[in-house]
Amino acid sequence: MTAQEFNVAVVGATGLVGGKVLEVLEERSFPVARLLPLASAKSAGKKIKFQGKEHAVAVLTAESFRDIDVALFSAGATVSRDFAPVAARAGAIVIDNSSAFRLDPGVPLVVPEVNPHDIKKNSGIIANPNCSTIQMVVTLKPLHEKWKIRRVVVSTYQSVTGAGKRGVNQLEAEVTGKTAGEKKFPHPIAYNVLPQVDVFFEGGYSREELKMVNETRKIMGDDSLRVTATCVRVPVYGGHSESVNIEFEREFRLEDVVETLRAAPGVCIQDDILQDIYPMPIWSKDRDEVFVGRIRRDETVPNGLNLWIVSDNLRKGAATNAVQIAETWAKTCARTKSSIT
Ligand SMILES: NC(=O)c1ccc[n+]([C@@H]2O[C@H](COP(=O)([O-])OP(=O)(O)OC[C@H]3O[C@@H](n4cnc5c(N)ncnc54)[C@H](OP(=O)(O)O)[C@@H]3O)[C@@H](O)[C@H]2O)c1
């Protein structure tokens, strides 16, 4: 192994996000010396393909991280709480897709287009934000720098893929008339819309809504930012959609907003209403861009703007963002086991 290659563990390799992590690592030619796919006991021995070779999935244990340089976790918050510190202590850099450490002050919460500099502040764990938050902050950041955001009102329309394999299975079973296994959602999702993503807390907000508020502030490094969210599950695949209403402190020209977004890293404008062109989840599936359209003034407040933002929650909302973090870490902080010994 050369100093430029890494032993990589993918925890949750059989899941929706873990599967995409494997795809993205391969597509972006992340320098993998050895791949270790990990999952629960029920997937032991299952074969996954990576770089043209079959790899057997191993069961995650406390011993799994010996000689691992990079551990990408996508197996839920409980698994991350139990095993991410173990992996970090064994010397791996952990990039965690779960919510376990996102608001921990000692753990950077990173979207590489927004706050890549925070990666260096890690003590072994870097958190990947919530999918709905990632696509929103990629869009908000360049606007905040120019016109300073005072308040954001966001309503989401979230894909069933955001709820993992069980969410997809429930929709497929309902649409095809088969009996679903264990249901993921508290109501039917086919031909329905649920104003609930995750559990509710005192005050009436769901966990997903609170994530959007708190994670946005942490990533943007601005606790004064006022954000309110309504998160909704819809029966679609391919990506999360968001209606985002923004109030700026400073006056703006609409054409300057469009130009700023056109130049923003990771953003792709799809906005031609005369041709019925606007972002949609069927177009964002398997893409890494954050698509922005329906860009228009909100005339009801001074300095108001409305946007429609769509992105594939499994790619930029999870796997791609995690691999981008790994790439930036590799360029700026990495010392592989082989370079040390
Ligand atoms: N879906 C999204 O859009 C999205 C976006 C951002 C972040 N995330 C986060 O990413 C994580 C995974 O989400 P997902 O949608 O990929 O879920 P998923 O499709 O249900 O996959 C879950 C994965 O975790 C593994 N797992 C579960 N319990 C385990 C255990 N005790 N030990 C080892 N592995 C275990 C599963 O392995 P088995 O197959 O063996 O059960 C599977 O590989 C969650 O924390 C989620 O919040 C998801």
Side-chain angles (χ1 to χ4, degrees), residues 11-18 38-44 46 57 59-60 73-77 79-80 83 96-99 102 128-131 160-166 211 240 313-314 317-318:
V11 182
T14 54
L16 292 190
V17 173
L38 297 164
S40 77
K42 84 172 187 250
S43 301
K46 197 174 161 184
V57 174
V59 180
L60 170 66
F73 273 69
S74 310
V79 170
S80 291
F83 289 95
D96 182 32
N97 261 301
S98 84
S99 58
R102 287 183 190 149
N128 203 57
N130 167 263
C131 40
V160 289
T161 59
K165 288 186 286 191
R166 280 172 54 210
K211 283 178 186 173
H240 291 350
N313 49 293
L314 295 176

Side-chain angles (χ1 to χ4, degrees), residues 48-103:
I48 56 114
K49 257 202 159 169
F50 183 74
Q51 293 178 337
K53 281 193 212 136
E54 285 206 326
H55 297 256
V57 174
V59 180
L60 170 66
T61 71
E63 308 307 314
S64 300
F65 302 99
R66 198 172 299 140
D67 285 331
I68 292 297
D69 299 302
V70 179
L72 294 143
F73 273 69
S74 310
T78 307
V79 170
S80 291
R81 268 191 286 272
D82 289 347
F83 289 95
V86 176
R89 275 198 299 277
I93 183 73
V94 171
I95 299 163
D96 182 32
N97 261 301
S98 84
S99 58
F101 304 101
R102 287 183 190 149
L103 297 183

Side-chain angles (χ1 to χ4, degrees), residues 221-256:
D222 186 346
D223 281 343
S224 70
L225 211 58
R226 287 188 286 158
V227 180
T228 186
T230 301
C231 292
V232 179
R233 185 76 65 195
V234 292
V236 305
Y237 306 101
H240 291 350
S241 306
E242 296 174 348
S243 162
V244 180
N245 177 267
I246 308 167
E247 247 183 282
F248 294 106
E249 298 216 338
R250 299 195 271 274
E251 286 179 15
F252 65 87
R253 293 190 325 156
L254 200 56
E255 52 270 41
D256 292 339

